[in-house]
Amino acid sequence: MSSSNIVTNLVCALLIAVILAPLVSASGGGAVIDVSSILLGEMETFEESYLEVPFTIVEQSGLDAEIEVNVVISTIEGTELHNQSTNYTVLAFGNTPINYTFSNMPYGYSNLMVTMTGDIGTEDTNNVTGFNRTIQRLRPAQLSIEEIELIPVNFNGVPTGNETLREGDYLIISASIENLGDLQWSSNVSADIDGQEVLESHTSNITFGSATTTNAQFYSSSSFTETNFDINSHYTVNISILNPPTSQSELFHTTTFEVGPPPLARIDMELVHLNTDVTAGGLAQWNLSITNTGEIDFNGTLSCIFSGGEIEYSQPLDLTNGVNTTISVSASARPGTLTCQTDGQRVWDDSINSVSSILSMTAAAFEAAGSSTPAVLGGPWHKGDMATFSMLVRNHGDSDGLVQLRCEINGVVSLSEPLSLALDAAGEVSVSIQMIAIGQTQVNWSLVSSNGAIDIGLEGVLNIPVSEQQSLTPQISNVEWDSVDGISFTWQIDLDTGVERDIQLRLGYDSGGSEIYPFDSLITVFPGLTTGQYVIGHVDADKVVIRINSINWTIGPGPTSVIKSVPSERPEYYVEMDPLSSPRDPTFGDETSITIKISNNGLVDGIAGQIILVDGNGNFLVQSETGILLAGEEKEITLTIDWPSGSEVTLTAKWSIDQNILTSSQSYNSGISATSSSQSYDVPFIGIISGIAIAGAVILAMRLKNSSSDMKSSVSKTKNKTPKAKKPIKKSKTSASSTDRKVQVGCPECARQLRVPASYSGKVRCPDCSNRFDVNSRDEPPQEEEEVEEVEKQEKKEVSCPDCSQSLRVPTDYSGSVRCPACKVVFKADSQ
């Protein structure tokens, strides 16, 4: 190693030694309290009886630190509550969590001081060597009902200003409840009111803040009536805290109060008869003087009634406190008593608010001639019914007179027609009144007279039981349609319990939005179910309708009409002719049967009809009646006719049913006789015969030529050499005539292959589908010579008709269509 490097290393070592020298010479570590570990805040509050003081001590110098921690808790006044010291060794760069727990902490505020001595470090914003806190143990909620205030108010909750409760007042109950604790509390507070038919309970959930007083208010839902001081009657209010703090039992406070009379008017009246010499039937007159000396104005009514309940005067009376007024009253003079009194507002008990005046004179006098109460006719009664009140009366007075029956219901007066009775005569008075209220209707009745006296007791009250209005419930239980009657329906009317009723019954139908009522009549229905059947008939209707109107009575709530749809199902008729006749191919004049199938594919039964059969020219052939076809029923009808002329006959079946005519047409082939058959094919016999003659001439010429050649050859051979055995002569023939040759043509309808002469031109008929079509001649020039070959017999196969299983034989290699000769079904031969 060089000397320069050695010097450099020594210098570095000296520098390191100088730097580390102070640390090595230190006497101990540096312990501080981590501020973030102090969990108690300034003005810390707690509820439990113990207190925990957690924090963490950390060593920041790199040496172990020996320290002593002292925790002191004292009251605000300085009285020491707890003092605890503990020694700790905090390892270098280590941390020591500490948690002190102190029990029996007092309520209220305390001081907490934590100090640390020994090897302590340097304080900064994150580290301290001690700390102080003001702590508070919160007092639990402590509730107390301090006061209950009763505030008189009107219906709208506005204070009346009365010092005490008066009759008719409502009440606000205001309870002052104090919380003496440091914690808020929520409780259900109830106010119960009891007394003089008033029983109320009100509950409200209220939160009481710490160290505050809260007013709990409750509003009565009933007004209060005056209490009777003579029997010591009163009202009771009880305030209860239903769930007080756990340290307290249930809290309640009870108070009682009296209710005085309302402010009242005091009425004084005097009735003075002005013309004491008036005679029966004349006009009697009085002056009525009225004074109010009470506390408030009088706002009520004044009425004057003569004996028997007849009202002579009835008017509102508004009289200010301290004011006097005079009113004139007049009535038809007759023996009796006129009574005037005020109503509609309470007055002081010492008021003179009812006065009377008696009239005496010669006049008629009326008494009951039978029952002392009116008879009530027409019951039982329902709302809207008329009740008739009737009574027999007799005049036993000193002169003739008029009498009436007076009935009053809820202030509405009804009077009978005046009945004039001579001395000792008797008669009936009656009045009819409509009952408009449900329940017991109170009827105040009396006999009244404009010129006669009424015996005592001929007045009173009748209670008429009135039920709810009778209701009618119309129903349509069943709507039907059939081919015979058309539309019909069953109707029902259900009348509530009560009396029989007269109604207008209308039965009909709705057609395109217009209602038509063929039945419109007045009938009487009885309580319970009335039913009937109504047949409308064959009309164009979408719905059937029933409507009801009452006759001289009021129908109760409920429908008075009902509509129901007409069933849409109808018979669905169908007619079809059988394509086969019997016999199959009849000839002109044959007796032939034609089968016609008729059916009803609908869901309802049909009716009888008539079916006729006509030919293609519309000529009538035969007719037959058709019976009723049930829903889903099918029938076959066989008609017998003499077969018309023509190779192809078209028949039409016309079925007349339910005002409709259904048709079905079918074409049939007539049978062909031998003559007609040859004519129909138009075979060219002349051509065929000519062809045969030409062919014979050609064959003859060829044979002659061959014979000549043979003869020459024979002579030549005889001359030259001995004759050899003859070779077999190959048999040959000339080309067949076009009359003999056949060609195949296909039916354009069913593709059946037909063999016809090649030279034939004209119409042919397919034996399978009976289709007629044209063919043209396919004649070719004759071949000079062809070998006579034996035609092999063509093999055939058997196929079955897929519709009727009829067996047919067709060539094995034939794959076209064939037609069943029995049922006329066309099918592919290769599908078998």
Side-chain angles (χ1 to χ4, degrees):
M1 189 178 289
S2 64
S3 58
S4 61
N5 290 338
I6 294 173
V7 172
T8 301
N9 290 336
L10 290 175
V11 172
C12 291
L14 289 174
L15 290 174
I16 293 172
V18 170
I19 294 170
L20 296 177
L23 298 177
V24 175
S25 63
S27 62
V32 291
I33 299 173
D34 183 1
V35 173
S36 64
S37 69
I38 303 172
L39 301 183
L40 294 179
E42 295 291 345
M43 302 300 294
E44 185 73 25
T45 60
F46 60 98
E47 299 179 22
E48 305 297 334
S49 60
Y50 60 89
L51 174 67
E52 292 186 348
V53 184
F55 56 89
T56 301
I57 301 174
V58 297
E59 201 289 315
Q60 58 183 194
S61 66
L63 297 176
D64 294 348
E66 299 292 336
I67 59 169
E68 180 182 5
V69 177
N70 179 244
V71 181
V72 178
I73 300 176
S74 59
T75 64
I76 295 298
E77 293 78 13
T79 301
E80 189 174 279
L81 301 174
H82 297 280
N83 190 336
Q84 185 172 343
S85 296
T86 308
N87 294 321
Y88 296 96
T89 298
V90 184
L91 301 179
F93 294 121
N95 62 77
T96 301
I98 296 175
N99 188 3
Y100 289 91
T101 301
F102 301 95
S103 60
N104 300 321
M105 294 296 296
Y107 292 112
Y109 291 94
S110 301
N111 286 327
L112 170 69
M113 178 177 290
V114 178
T115 59
M116 192 169 58
T117 59
D119 297 332
I120 59 176
T122 304
E123 291 188 341
D124 53 29
T125 56
N126 298 320
N127 300 289
V128 295
T129 58
F131 60 89
N132 295 327
R133 294 289 187 271
T134 298
I135 57 177
Q136 179 189 11
R137 182 183 176 188
L138 301 176
R139 292 172 295 176
Q142 186 77 18
L143 303 182
S144 174
I145 303 174
E146 298 297 322
E147 181 183 5
I148 297 178
E149 182 182 6
L150 305 179
I151 305 171
V153 295
N154 60 19
F155 175 77
N156 297 318
V158 179
T160 62
N162 296 331
E163 294 181 0
T164 60
L165 263 76
R166 304 289 292 271
E167 184 174 88
D169 286 349
Y170 291 78
L171 179 64
I172 291 179
I173 303 170
S174 179
S176 297
I177 303 175
E178 183 179 6
N179 181 8
L180 302 177
D182 296 320
L183 298 175
Q184 72 175 18
W185 187 264
S186 295
S187 289
N188 287 327
V189 181
S190 70
D192 299 321
I193 308 172
D194 186 15
Q196 298 211 174
E197 300 182 356
V198 174
L199 182 61
E200 296 182 10
S201 182
H202 305 272
T203 302
S204 179
N205 185 268
I206 300 175
T207 299
F208 303 97
S210 61
T212 59
T213 298
T214 303
N215 287 326
Q217 289 192 339
F218 304 91
Y219 292 79
S220 72
S221 57
S222 303
S223 62
F224 296 90
T225 58
E226 180 181 358
T227 54
N228 190 338
F229 293 95
D230 295 337
I231 60 174
N232 195 29
S233 63
H234 59 267
Y235 292 90
T236 300
V237 173
N238 184 60
I239 302 295
S240 301
I241 299 176
L242 302 181
N243 51 333
T246 54
S247 61
Q248 295 180 277
S249 58
E250 184 176 347
L251 300 175
F252 61 90
H253 189 286
T254 302
T255 186
T256 61
F257 63 93
E258 307 286 343
V259 177
L264 301 175
R266 181 177 283 108
I267 299 297
D268 293 323
M269 297 196 305
E270 183 181 7
L271 185 62
V272 178
H273 186 196
L274 300 178
N275 54 342
T276 57
D277 58 348
V278 66
T279 60
L283 185 64
Q285 295 179 330
W286 292 265
N287 276 343
L288 178 62
S289 177
I290 309 172
T291 304
N292 179 9
T293 59
E295 301 170 288
I296 61 172
D297 299 343
F298 179 82
N299 297 293
T301 60
L302 172 66
S303 61
C304 296
I305 301 175
F306 223 108
S307 298
E310 186 174 1
I311 298 175
E312 304 294 344
Y313 181 92
S314 180
Q315 294 291 333
L317 176 63
D318 297 332
L319 192 60
T320 304
N321 182 30
V323 174
N324 173 272
T325 186
T326 300
I327 297 174
S328 296
V329 181
S330 60
S332 177
R334 71 267 192 193
T337 300
L338 176 68
T339 301
C340 295
Q341 65 181 24
T342 59
D343 293 295
Q345 181 175 314
R346 181 182 174 185
V347 295
W348 283 106
D349 293 340
D350 57 357
S351 296
I352 303 173
N353 65 327
S354 180
V355 291
S356 300
S357 177
I358 299 175
L359 288 181
S360 299
M361 61 191 69
T362 299
F366 298 99
E367 64 180 357
S371 174
S372 59
T373 58
V376 188
L377 309 176
W381 299 273
H382 296 260
K383 181 180 178 182
D385 288 348
M386 301 296 293
T388 300
F389 300 85
S390 176
M391 189 173 185
L392 292 175
V393 293
R394 176 177 172 272
N395 180 6
H396 67 96
D398 302 321
S399 63
D400 299 346
L402 298 174
V403 66
Q404 291 176 282
L405 177 61
R406 178 184 185 274
C407 294
E408 178 264 325
I409 301 176
N410 295 329
V412 179
V413 176
S414 299
L415 287 170
S416 68
E417 292 294 327
L419 175 64
S420 177
L421 290 177
L423 290 176
D424 296 326
E428 179 187 14
V429 287
S430 65
V431 61
S432 295
I433 306 174
Q434 186 178 31
M435 300 290 102
I436 59 175
I438 298 174
Q440 291 290 334
T441 298
Q442 180 175 294
V443 181
N444 299 307
W445 71 272
S446 61
L447 287 178
V448 295
S449 174
S450 61
N451 57 5
I454 304 296
D455 284 5
I456 296 174
L458 295 182
E459 60 183 353
V461 176
L462 293 173
N463 288 309
I464 308 300
V466 180
S467 303
E468 293 184 356
Q469 293 169 307
Q470 279 180 281
S471 293
L472 282 173
T473 304
Q475 296 178 354
I476 297 175
S477 60
N478 190 29
V479 182
E480 296 179 342
W481 183 97
D482 62 46
S483 300
V484 177
D485 296 327
I487 300 172
S488 63
F489 64 92
T490 302
W491 57 268
Q492 295 176 340
I493 298 175
D494 191 3
L495 177 63
D496 288 348
T497 302
V499 298
E500 66 271 16
R501 299 291 186 178
D502 292 332
I503 63 169
Q504 178 191 20
L505 177 62
R506 307 175 74 191
L507 306 175
Y509 58 94
D510 183 301
S511 178
S514 177
E515 293 183 359
I516 301 171
Y517 297 99
F519 182 90
D520 189 340
S521 180
L522 301 182
I523 66 170
T524 299
V525 292
F526 294 84
L529 198 63
T530 301
T531 185
Q533 178 79 15
Y534 183 63
V535 178
I536 298 178
H538 291 277
V539 296
D540 183 13
D542 302 321
K543 303 173 183 177
V544 294
V545 185
I546 175 173
R547 291 194 181 274
I548 296 172
N549 296 318
S550 61
I551 305 298
N552 298 325
W553 64 286
T554 304
I555 298 179
T560 57
S561 65
V562 65
I563 298 176
K564 198 164 186 179
S565 297
V566 175
S568 59
E569 292 81 5
R570 296 290 184 273
E572 295 180 11
Y573 299 112
Y574 180 75
V575 59
E576 182 183 18
M577 298 181 66
D578 191 328
L580 296 179
S581 62
S582 179
R584 179 179 173 186
D585 294 321
T587 59
F588 175 70
D590 287 349
E591 185 177 277
T592 307
S593 296
I594 300 297
T595 300
I596 302 171
K597 181 171 67 176
I598 59 174
S599 61
N600 176 9
N601 298 332
L603 301 178
V604 294
D605 297 343
I607 61 175
Q610 185 183 64
I611 193 165
I612 64 174
L613 194 64
V614 299
D615 61 15
N617 297 321
N619 297 320
F620 173 82
L621 299 177
V622 69
Q623 73 176 29
S624 176
E625 303 298 322
T626 59
I628 294 175
L629 278 179
L630 302 180
E633 186 179 8
E634 180 180 292
K635 291 182 179 180
E636 288 188 351
I637 297 176
T638 301
L639 302 179
T640 302
I641 62 172
D642 292 334
W643 194 249
S645 62
S647 60
E648 184 174 343
V649 175
T650 299
L651 300 180
T652 300
K654 296 184 178 182
W655 187 20
S656 178
I657 183 81
D658 199 8
Q659 300 180 355
N660 293 312
I661 296 179
L662 286 75
T663 62
S664 176
S665 297
Q666 186 70 41
S667 294
Y668 301 89
N669 293 316
S670 298
I672 302 173
S673 62
T675 304
S676 62
S677 176
S678 64
Q679 291 176 351
S680 63
Y681 278 101
D682 296 330
V683 178
F685 290 102
I686 297 175
I688 293 175
I689 294 173
S690 300
I692 292 174
I694 295 172
V698 171
I699 292 172
L700 179 59
M702 292 179 66
R703 285 183 176 180
L704 292 175
K705 181 180 179 181
N706 290 335
S707 298
S708 174
S709 298
D710 291 341
M711 291 176 63
K712 289 180 180 180
S713 175
S714 178
V715 173
S716 175
K717 290 177 179 178
T718 302
K719 289 182 177 181
N720 294 326
K721 49 177 71 175
T722 305
K724 297 181 180 179
K726 293 183 180 179
K727 294 182 179 180
I729 299 174
K730 191 175 182 179
K731 190 177 182 180
S732 63
K733 68 172 184 176
T734 61
S735 177
S737 165
S738 62
T739 304
D740 300 328
R741 189 168 60 90
K742 303 285 187 179
V743 294
Q744 283 191 345
V745 294
C747 174
E749 185 71 21
C750 66
R752 169 70 183 270
Q753 297 297 311
L754 308 177
R755 293 176 59 82
V756 298
S759 60
Y760 176 71
S761 295
K763 289 184 177 291
V764 295
R765 178 172 177 267
C766 177
D768 287 344
C769 64
S770 301
N771 179 47
R772 292 178 179 277
F773 59 95
D774 294 324
V775 296
N776 296 320
S777 174
R778 301 186 184 182
D779 197 8
E780 297 177 356
Q783 298 179 355
E784 293 183 357
E785 184 179 1
E786 65 176 2
E787 295 183 354
V788 177
E789 297 178 358
E790 184 179 358
V791 178
E792 296 182 0
K793 186 175 182 181
Q794 192 176 19
E795 295 183 0
K796 293 192 176 181
K797 63 180 179 180
E798 188 174 284
V799 296
S800 297
C801 173
D803 204 32
C804 66
S805 301
Q806 173 72 31
S807 295
L808 295 86
R809 291 180 58 81
V810 297
T812 305
D813 58 351
Y814 178 67
S815 60
S817 296
V818 295
R819 182 185 186 198
C820 176
C823 64
K824 306 303 182 181
V825 171
V826 178
F827 60 95
K828 287 286 187 178
D830 59 355
S831 62
Q832 296 297 307

